[in-house]
Amino acid sequence: MNSQSLAPEQLQTLETELTTAYEALKKENLKLDITRGKPSTEQVSLADNLDGILNGNFISDSGIDTRNYGHLRGLPESCKLGGEILGVPESQVITGGNGSLSLMHSVALLHYLYGYNNQAWQQLDKPTFICPVPGYDRHFSICENLNIEMITVPMTEAGPDMDMVESLLKTHPNIVGMWCVPKYSNPTGSSYSSETVERIAKLGKIAQPYFRVFWDNAYAIHTIEESPEKLSNIWHACQENSTEDSVWQFASSSKVSFAGAGISWVAGSDSNLQAFEKLLGVTTIGSDKVNQLRHHRLFPNRSALVSHMQKHANIVQAKFEIVLKVLNDELQEYGHWTEAKGGYFISFDSQPGLAKNIEKLASEAGLKLTPAGATFPYGKDPEDRNIRIAPTFPCVEELEKAMEIFAVCVKLATVRKHLH
Ligand SMILES: Cc1ncc(COP(=O)(O)O)c(C=O)c1O
């Protein structure tokens, strides 16, 4: 809506109606939460067969006794699975423990402390990452934690604005890295076009030798619609451009099996993996191979994985539909949003200057939203308009109620803005 679309008296009437609806919701003393992209209990239960699946057989197909020390790169079977998900040969993969975020942090630490050809990021004046926005808050936290500065570039439907990325790299020698969530991005849900992937693979030619893309393919297999988005293979594109060292890839089974007890993968060039293995060897004698074997038994081949992900999709799709219905029916005039074919989020843009206010109104009515600004570095959304909606965790009834509150809060904040 814009301030011209309604006469002042009509706006006032609308404000009164919305305030009445809002106060009634407040009286319900609700406690709802659509903040984090967590799988629901129903989703994690899909992998309950992990419990007991080994049945006393701890020896992997490759003949490794998973109960013992060693095999820093993880089980070959697990590296193969990670390679299939990330589109690289098994030899380019290291399998880790629960959560890919810790791998990303460790790789960033590796470059920060030691670097490539001894060019450690910490020796540079203001090492800086390119951060497509809106983006994932925990990526930004890794940068903040290491005192790495962040420059934002806007996300488009085809991925980050690549003209801007290329021109930044040509003019800023202190740029050491770039975050990418190439498929069903967090939070916009968009997937990078083939052209974007190609251009990212070429960045290694114009950037400094210590520059690295962090290709976080967290939603590589998390399609919710029938036809999955096709992402071009970054590894092949790098091979064609001889830039294999410039890209690290990551993925995990967090939103496939158990978010709290999964396995993770990092993939890269031979020299990158050797450097990482050296650091890894200082911190551990080996990751949890028993859990890696459990995952191999649950997902012995690609088709087992695909049919498992289809079960996730059925659950998640119903929740996305609830959110999109409310947005489409109620909020057409109040904002913009994305309709992703997969992933975990819907990114909502209110009119400028309202996101914090919407978050506050929602919180007072018992609905916790992802903090406004969280999708930008340092928690600062310059336009104060982006809100990330995470529909997966609540049950259907809770989600419906949450969206009812959300719609009233967005409308109320917008109408009040136009009144004052
Ligand atoms: C883009 C992205 N990367 C990584 C993660 C976390 O991954 P993991 O559980 O493997 O640490 C998430 C979780 O929401 C995510 O959205």
Side-chain angles (χ1 to χ4, degrees), residues 204-219:
K205 291 179 161 180
I206 54 170
Q208 299 295 326
Y210 43 76
F211 171 79
R212 292 291 180 277
V213 172
F214 280 49
W215 191 258
D216 177 5
N217 211 343
Y219 301 104

PDB file of all heavy atoms in Angstrom, residues 204-219:
ATOM      1  N   GLY A 204      39.002 -16.433  -9.502  1.00  0.00           N
ATOM      2  CA  GLY A 204      40.378 -16.793  -9.147  1.00  0.00           C
ATOM      3  C   GLY A 204      41.406 -16.213 -10.109  1.00  0.00           C
ATOM      4  O   GLY A 204      42.586 -16.113  -9.786  1.00  0.00           O
ATOM      5  N   LYS A 205      40.962 -15.805 -11.295  1.00  0.00           N
ATOM      6  CA  LYS A 205      41.906 -15.240 -12.273  1.00  0.00           C
ATOM      7  C   LYS A 205      42.147 -13.758 -12.037  1.00  0.00           C
ATOM      8  O   LYS A 205      43.184 -13.228 -12.406  1.00  0.00           O
ATOM      9  CB  LYS A 205      41.349 -15.404 -13.695  1.00  0.00           C
ATOM     10  CG  LYS A 205      41.320 -16.827 -14.162  1.00  0.00           C
ATOM     11  CD  LYS A 205      40.725 -16.855 -15.547  1.00  0.00           C
ATOM     12  CE  LYS A 205      41.092 -18.148 -16.229  1.00  0.00           C
ATOM     13  NZ  LYS A 205      40.540 -18.226 -17.567  1.00  0.00           N
ATOM     14  N   ILE A 206      41.143 -13.078 -11.450  1.00  0.00           N
ATOM     15  CA  ILE A 206      41.324 -11.631 -11.255  1.00  0.00           C
ATOM     16  C   ILE A 206      41.660 -11.287  -9.805  1.00  0.00           C
ATOM     17  O   ILE A 206      42.158 -10.215  -9.525  1.00  0.00           O
ATOM     18  CB  ILE A 206      40.072 -10.814 -11.702  1.00  0.00           C
ATOM     19  CG1 ILE A 206      38.799 -11.311 -11.010  1.00  0.00           C
ATOM     20  CG2 ILE A 206      39.914 -10.847 -13.203  1.00  0.00           C
ATOM     21  CD1 ILE A 206      37.603 -10.379 -11.242  1.00  0.00           C
ATOM     22  N   ALA A 207      41.394 -12.240  -8.900  1.00  0.00           N
ATOM     23  CA  ALA A 207      41.601 -11.939  -7.473  1.00  0.00           C
ATOM     24  C   ALA A 207      43.051 -12.227  -7.077  1.00  0.00           C
ATOM     25  O   ALA A 207      43.820 -12.813  -7.833  1.00  0.00           O
ATOM     26  CB  ALA A 207      40.660 -12.801  -6.646  1.00  0.00           C
ATOM     27  N   GLN A 208      43.386 -11.813  -5.860  1.00  0.00           N
ATOM     28  CA  GLN A 208      44.697 -12.125  -5.292  1.00  0.00           C
ATOM     29  C   GLN A 208      44.769 -13.632  -5.032  1.00  0.00           C
ATOM     30  O   GLN A 208      43.740 -14.287  -4.831  1.00  0.00           O
ATOM     31  CB  GLN A 208      44.873 -11.374  -3.967  1.00  0.00           C
ATOM     32  CG  GLN A 208      44.819  -9.862  -4.100  1.00  0.00           C
ATOM     33  CD  GLN A 208      45.970  -9.317  -4.922  1.00  0.00           C
ATOM     34  OE1 GLN A 208      47.080  -9.841  -4.880  1.00  0.00           O
ATOM     35  NE2 GLN A 208      45.704  -8.274  -5.696  1.00  0.00           N
ATOM     36  N   PRO A 209      45.991 -14.197  -4.971  1.00  0.00           N
ATOM     37  CA  PRO A 209      46.092 -15.665  -4.816  1.00  0.00           C
ATOM     38  C   PRO A 209      45.535 -16.181  -3.485  1.00  0.00           C
ATOM     39  O   PRO A 209      45.206 -17.360  -3.378  1.00  0.00           O
ATOM     40  CB  PRO A 209      47.598 -15.938  -4.900  1.00  0.00           C
ATOM     41  CG  PRO A 209      48.269 -14.621  -4.910  1.00  0.00           C
ATOM     42  CD  PRO A 209      47.286 -13.563  -5.229  1.00  0.00           C
ATOM     43  N   TYR A 210      45.393 -15.292  -2.511  1.00  0.00           N
ATOM     44  CA  TYR A 210      44.855 -15.747  -1.209  1.00  0.00           C
ATOM     45  C   TYR A 210      43.331 -15.655  -1.143  1.00  0.00           C
ATOM     46  O   TYR A 210      42.725 -15.966  -0.129  1.00  0.00           O
ATOM     47  CB  TYR A 210      45.466 -14.952  -0.042  1.00  0.00           C
ATOM     48  CG  TYR A 210      45.563 -13.457  -0.285  1.00  0.00           C
ATOM     49  CD1 TYR A 210      44.440 -12.637  -0.218  1.00  0.00           C
ATOM     50  CD2 TYR A 210      46.786 -12.881  -0.595  1.00  0.00           C
ATOM     51  CE1 TYR A 210      44.533 -11.283  -0.447  1.00  0.00           C
ATOM     52  CE2 TYR A 210      46.894 -11.514  -0.834  1.00  0.00           C
ATOM     53  CZ  TYR A 210      45.758 -10.716  -0.756  1.00  0.00           C
ATOM     54  OH  TYR A 210      45.851  -9.375  -0.999  1.00  0.00           O
ATOM     55  N   PHE A 211      42.691 -15.250  -2.231  1.00  0.00           N
ATOM     56  CA  PHE A 211      41.219 -15.125  -2.243  1.00  0.00           C
ATOM     57  C   PHE A 211      40.552 -16.498  -2.324  1.00  0.00           C
ATOM     58  O   PHE A 211      40.967 -17.365  -3.092  1.00  0.00           O
ATOM     59  CB  PHE A 211      40.804 -14.283  -3.453  1.00  0.00           C
ATOM     60  CG  PHE A 211      39.316 -14.269  -3.695  1.00  0.00           C
ATOM     61  CD1 PHE A 211      38.475 -13.458  -2.951  1.00  0.00           C
ATOM     62  CD2 PHE A 211      38.739 -15.088  -4.672  1.00  0.00           C
ATOM     63  CE1 PHE A 211      37.098 -13.457  -3.168  1.00  0.00           C
ATOM     64  CE2 PHE A 211      37.367 -15.088  -4.906  1.00  0.00           C
ATOM     65  CZ  PHE A 211      36.553 -14.267  -4.143  1.00  0.00           C
ATOM     66  N   ARG A 212      39.498 -16.685  -1.511  1.00  0.00           N
ATOM     67  CA  ARG A 212      38.761 -17.951  -1.537  1.00  0.00           C
ATOM     68  C   ARG A 212      37.246 -17.718  -1.518  1.00  0.00           C
ATOM     69  O   ARG A 212      36.746 -16.928  -0.711  1.00  0.00           O
ATOM     70  CB  ARG A 212      39.086 -18.814  -0.305  1.00  0.00           C
ATOM     71  CG  ARG A 212      40.509 -19.355  -0.256  1.00  0.00           C
ATOM     72  CD  ARG A 212      40.744 -20.407  -1.340  1.00  0.00           C
ATOM     73  NE  ARG A 212      42.093 -20.944  -1.313  1.00  0.00           N
ATOM     74  CZ  ARG A 212      43.158 -20.370  -1.876  1.00  0.00           C
ATOM     75  NH1 ARG A 212      43.047 -19.215  -2.518  1.00  0.00           N
ATOM     76  NH2 ARG A 212      44.359 -20.946  -1.802  1.00  0.00           N
ATOM     77  N   VAL A 213      36.561 -18.461  -2.368  1.00  0.00           N
ATOM     78  CA  VAL A 213      35.093 -18.486  -2.323  1.00  0.00           C
ATOM     79  C   VAL A 213      34.684 -19.571  -1.331  1.00  0.00           C
ATOM     80  O   VAL A 213      35.194 -20.702  -1.409  1.00  0.00           O
ATOM     81  CB  VAL A 213      34.518 -18.811  -3.723  1.00  0.00           C
ATOM     82  CG1 VAL A 213      33.014 -19.036  -3.647  1.00  0.00           C
ATOM     83  CG2 VAL A 213      34.855 -17.701  -4.717  1.00  0.00           C
ATOM     84  N   PHE A 214      33.792 -19.250  -0.412  1.00  0.00           N
ATOM     85  CA  PHE A 214      33.230 -20.254   0.509  1.00  0.00           C
ATOM     86  C   PHE A 214      31.850 -20.628  -0.039  1.00  0.00           C
ATOM     87  O   PHE A 214      30.887 -19.884   0.145  1.00  0.00           O
ATOM     88  CB  PHE A 214      33.147 -19.683   1.934  1.00  0.00           C
ATOM     89  CG  PHE A 214      34.459 -19.719   2.675  1.00  0.00           C
ATOM     90  CD1 PHE A 214      35.619 -19.240   2.097  1.00  0.00           C
ATOM     91  CD2 PHE A 214      34.537 -20.256   3.959  1.00  0.00           C
ATOM     92  CE1 PHE A 214      36.841 -19.276   2.780  1.00  0.00           C
ATOM     93  CE2 PHE A 214      35.750 -20.310   4.655  1.00  0.00           C
ATOM     94  CZ  PHE A 214      36.894 -19.805   4.058  1.00  0.00           C
ATOM     95  N   TRP A 215      31.837 -21.759  -0.734  1.00  0.00           N
ATOM     96  CA  TRP A 215      30.653 -22.214  -1.491  1.00  0.00           C
ATOM     97  C   TRP A 215      29.860 -23.132  -0.564  1.00  0.00           C
ATOM     98  O   TRP A 215      30.093 -24.339  -0.527  1.00  0.00           O
ATOM     99  CB  TRP A 215      31.166 -22.947  -2.718  1.00  0.00           C
ATOM    100  CG  TRP A 215      30.206 -23.313  -3.803  1.00  0.00           C
ATOM    101  CD1 TRP A 215      29.658 -24.541  -4.033  1.00  0.00           C
ATOM    102  CD2 TRP A 215      29.741 -22.471  -4.868  1.00  0.00           C
ATOM    103  NE1 TRP A 215      28.884 -24.503  -5.162  1.00  0.00           N
ATOM    104  CE2 TRP A 215      28.921 -23.240  -5.697  1.00  0.00           C
ATOM    105  CE3 TRP A 215      29.944 -21.122  -5.190  1.00  0.00           C
ATOM    106  CZ2 TRP A 215      28.298 -22.728  -6.821  1.00  0.00           C
ATOM    107  CZ3 TRP A 215      29.327 -20.619  -6.315  1.00  0.00           C
ATOM    108  CH2 TRP A 215      28.510 -21.410  -7.110  1.00  0.00           C
ATOM    109  N   ASP A 216      28.949 -22.540   0.187  1.00  0.00           N
ATOM    110  CA  ASP A 216      28.222 -23.283   1.223  1.00  0.00           C
ATOM    111  C   ASP A 216      26.949 -23.861   0.604  1.00  0.00           C
ATOM    112  O   ASP A 216      25.900 -23.209   0.584  1.00  0.00           O
ATOM    113  CB  ASP A 216      27.909 -22.321   2.378  1.00  0.00           C
ATOM    114  CG  ASP A 216      27.094 -22.983   3.463  1.00  0.00           C
ATOM    115  OD1 ASP A 216      26.845 -24.207   3.374  1.00  0.00           O
ATOM    116  OD2 ASP A 216      26.691 -22.275   4.414  1.00  0.00           O
ATOM    117  N   ASN A 217      27.061 -25.101   0.141  1.00  0.00           N
ATOM    118  CA  ASN A 217      25.919 -25.702  -0.555  1.00  0.00           C
ATOM    119  C   ASN A 217      25.017 -26.454   0.429  1.00  0.00           C
ATOM    120  O   ASN A 217      24.699 -27.635   0.246  1.00  0.00           O
ATOM    121  CB  ASN A 217      26.425 -26.609  -1.680  1.00  0.00           C
ATOM    122  CG  ASN A 217      25.454 -26.644  -2.848  1.00  0.00           C
ATOM    123  OD1 ASN A 217      24.291 -26.268  -2.704  1.00  0.00           O
ATOM    124  ND2 ASN A 217      25.912 -27.112  -3.989  1.00  0.00           N
ATOM    125  N   ALA A 218      24.607 -25.724   1.467  1.00  0.00           N
ATOM    126  CA  ALA A 218      23.832 -26.320   2.561  1.00  0.00           C
ATOM    127  C   ALA A 218      22.511 -26.926   2.089  1.00  0.00           C
ATOM    128  O   ALA A 218      21.976 -27.830   2.731  1.00  0.00           O
ATOM    129  CB  ALA A 218      23.559 -25.256   3.621  1.00  0.00           C
ATOM    130  N   TYR A 219      21.968 -26.403   0.973  1.00  0.00           N
ATOM    131  CA  TYR A 219      20.640 -26.876   0.521  1.00  0.00           C
ATOM    132  C   TYR A 219      20.706 -27.583  -0.836  1.00  0.00           C
ATOM    133  O   TYR A 219      19.737 -27.577  -1.597  1.00  0.00           O
ATOM    134  CB  TYR A 219      19.660 -25.685   0.503  1.00  0.00           C
ATOM    135  CG  TYR A 219      19.553 -25.075   1.884  1.00  0.00           C
ATOM    136  CD1 TYR A 219      20.178 -23.878   2.200  1.00  0.00           C
ATOM    137  CD2 TYR A 219      18.916 -25.763   2.914  1.00  0.00           C
ATOM    138  CE1 TYR A 219      20.143 -23.365   3.490  1.00  0.00           C
ATOM    139  CE2 TYR A 219      18.877 -25.269   4.201  1.00  0.00           C
ATOM    140  CZ  TYR A 219      19.488 -24.069   4.480  1.00  0.00           C
ATOM    141  OH  TYR A 219      19.458 -23.587   5.758  1.00  0.00           O
TER     142      TYR A 219
END
